[in-house]
Amino acid sequence: ERPIELQEFFHSEDGSRMHFIQSQTHNGTHVEAAYKYSETAPNIADTPLETYMGEAVACNFTHKPGAAITPDDFRDAGVRTGDIALAWGSPDDKPHLTVETVDWLIETRIKALGMENITGHPPGDPDDVSTNYDAKILLAGIGLIDAPTGLDQIKKPRVFFIGLPVRMRQV
């Protein structure tokens, strides 16, 4: 669903093959930047790469189908300042974040948040609430790793995570 156009051409001076690539920003590890919500905020190219690499906590919330994920849930998983929180829930009945949980993640100063099969708002809330959670997280300087897959394959409570985005800059 995210096409990449590749146009081949030959360099006029030496005849070497070159390629022009046209795409959208959702390539590489799908991450969001605060620029999405504010023109004065950092874009992906201005976001430090360290945001998307480092010590991460595996937060398995599959035992909370359809329920709210609370600050205590993240605390119990071992999330602390400077961590990347990698959280996943059940695909059949996704748990959700609350405003209090988002505020706690910001106050704790995690480095980044990646969520698989977790919604950013309670069931029945309009979609724009999810966008507000995203904006709140990003504008607080926390990286957002959007819809990673396979987090349930993590077998240790803490891992080293690397999820580098394609570094694109607005023009």
Side-chain angles (χ1 to χ4, degrees), residues 29-31 51-52 56-59 61 69 74 83-89 97 105 110-118 137 142-149 151 154 161:
T29 300
H30 181 171
V31 300
T51 302
Y52 302 106
V57 178
C59 305
F61 298 128
I69 299 171
F74 276 103
D83 280 342
I84 296 171
L86 300 174
W88 67 95
L97 299 182
L105 292 168
I110 64 169
K111 190 185 326 188
L113 173 64
M115 296 188 303
E116 179 182 10
N117 297 319
I118 295 173
I137 289 167
I142 295 171
L144 191 59
I145 305 156
D146 200 6
T149 58
L151 295 180
I154 299 172
F161 176 81

Side-chain angles (χ1 to χ4, degrees), residues 123-135:
D125 276 4
D127 286 340
D128 63 349
V129 173
S130 176
T131 302
N132 290 340
Y133 283 15
D134 288 357

Side-chain angles (χ1 to χ4, degrees), residues 40-86:
T40 59
N43 60 38
I44 291 297
D46 293 329
T47 302
L49 284 177
E50 293 79 17
T51 302
Y52 302 106
M53 65 169 73
E55 192 167 345
V57 178
C59 305
N60 180 351
F61 298 128
T62 55
H63 64 284
K64 297 191 65 110
I69 299 171
T70 67
D72 284 340
D73 293 322
F74 276 103
R75 259 192 294 274
D76 291 347
V79 173
R80 57 186 185 236
T81 301
D83 280 342
I84 296 171
L86 300 174

